[in-house]
Amino acid sequence: GAVVSQHPSRVICKSGTSVKIECRSLDFQATTMFWYRQFPKQSLMLMATSNEGSKATYEQGVEKDKFLINHASLTLSTLTVTSAHPEDSSFYICSASSGQGAGNYGYTFGSGTRLTVV
Amino acid sequence: QKEVEQDPGPLSVPEGAIVSLNCTYSNSAFQYFMWYRQYSRKGPELLMYTYSSGNKEDGRFTAQVDKSSKYISLFIRDSQPSDSATYLCAMSKAAGNKLTFGGGTRVLVKP
């Protein structure tokens, strides 16, 4: 089945530093990748949609200069949280889509990254 | 009003009971419907997907979609303590498009 690998699973960083999160589709080509943010006991909030080779499309209210998304290949997308602050602490999850329907290869999620900014 | 509404629960059932979950939505453009299970601090895991209206069964899981009522359901038969998790419904307008999630229902299956 489709596998999406997300790293790191957990990261603690100091306020003001930048953190990069990687999302890789291991056995399929991800034409589209989605980045979500999830607060405790809440649902997933879509932050941005990225298509390989194109600029990401950010949801309303998401600062594109703060959350940099790169989707340089069909198997890798990265989210960089720049100048992180404690309010950026959250659970970040990526999802990859092959664009070929809602089956196993339709939407596959990574295991998430818990970011804590101290 | 949210596009997708889902009762947050928690829903507590005894082991072996049927778990019944549902979502309502307002946008008739949604065509693909999914149910995900999420354990604490993990990424969502796809359980079921359905295209347009109809029923689908996979093992202990049955998904139903009624587009005329804008209502989807997930039933879990013979529930186990390992089914204790948060269940999220999600839907999209086209293949590969962004998903719109419900708020999730927390389920607790007691031994």
Side-chain angles (χ1 to χ4, degrees):
Chain A
V3 178
V4 172
S5 175
Q6 184 174 344
H7 292 282
S9 59
R10 178 175 293 189
V11 58
I12 301 173
C13 70
K14 291 185 178 180
S15 185
T17 61
S18 295
V19 173
K20 181 183 284 188
I21 302 169
E22 288 191 351
C23 181
R24 293 180 183 271
S25 57
L26 298 185
D27 50 4
F28 68 102
Q29 293 186 328
T31 55
T32 307
M33 285 192 174
F34 305 90
W35 287 95
Y36 296 86
R37 183 173 182 176
Q38 187 176 34
F39 291 104
K41 297 186 179 181
Q42 293 188 25
S43 190
L44 284 73
M45 291 177 50
L46 181 65
M47 298 175 65
T49 302
S50 71
N51 293 295
E52 184 263 340
S54 303
K55 288 185 177 180
T57 302
Y58 290 81
E59 295 298 300
Q60 190 173 8
V62 178
E63 300 177 60
K64 61 181 181 181
D65 293 331
K66 181 168 187 61
F67 299 100
L68 300 179
I69 291 172
N70 184 282
H71 192 167
S73 77
L74 284 171
T75 59
L76 174 65
S77 177
T78 60
L79 167 67
T80 302
V81 183
T82 62
S83 187
H85 288 93
E87 57 266 30
D88 298 324
S89 298
S90 189
F91 192 55
Y92 293 87
I93 311 173
C94 70
S95 172
S97 170
S98 66
Q100 295 187 19
N104 286 337
Y105 280 45
Y107 303 90
T108 304
F109 284 81
S111 55
T113 297
R114 181 157 303 280
L115 171 63
T116 303
V117 185
V118 297
Chain B
Q1 184 183 4
K2 294 180 181 178
E3 274 193 293
V4 181
E5 298 279 358
Q6 185 176 5
D7 189 324
L11 178 62
S12 183
V13 300
E15 182 176 356
I18 295 175
V19 176
S20 176
L21 303 164
N22 59 76
C23 289
T24 59
Y25 63 96
S26 56
N27 194 332
S28 59
F30 288 130
Q31 297 288 333
Y32 291 89
F33 304 90
M34 284 144 274
W35 286 95
Y36 286 88
R37 176 175 64 194
Q38 185 179 27
Y39 293 111
S40 180
R41 302 190 178 190
K42 298 291 184 182
E45 171 193 8
L46 179 66
L47 290 175
M48 299 285 285
Y49 74 91
T50 309
Y51 171 68
S52 195
S53 286
N55 296 353
K56 187 171 185 177
E57 187 174 319
D58 184 3
R60 297 185 297 117
F61 300 94
T62 300
Q64 294 181 348
V65 174
D66 182 350
K67 291 191 68 181
S68 63
S69 302
K70 297 189 181 67
Y71 186 91
I72 68 171
S73 302
L74 177 71
F75 300 96
I76 308 174
R77 292 182 296 280
D78 187 25
S79 59
Q80 304 295 311
S82 58
D83 293 327
S84 297
T86 296
Y87 291 80
L88 299 154
C89 66
M91 46 199 79
S92 71
K93 298 173 186 176
N97 276 22
K98 65 180 182 180
L99 294 179
T100 301
F101 281 89
T105 300
R106 185 170 161 234
V107 172
L108 179 62
V109 180
K110 295 184 176 180

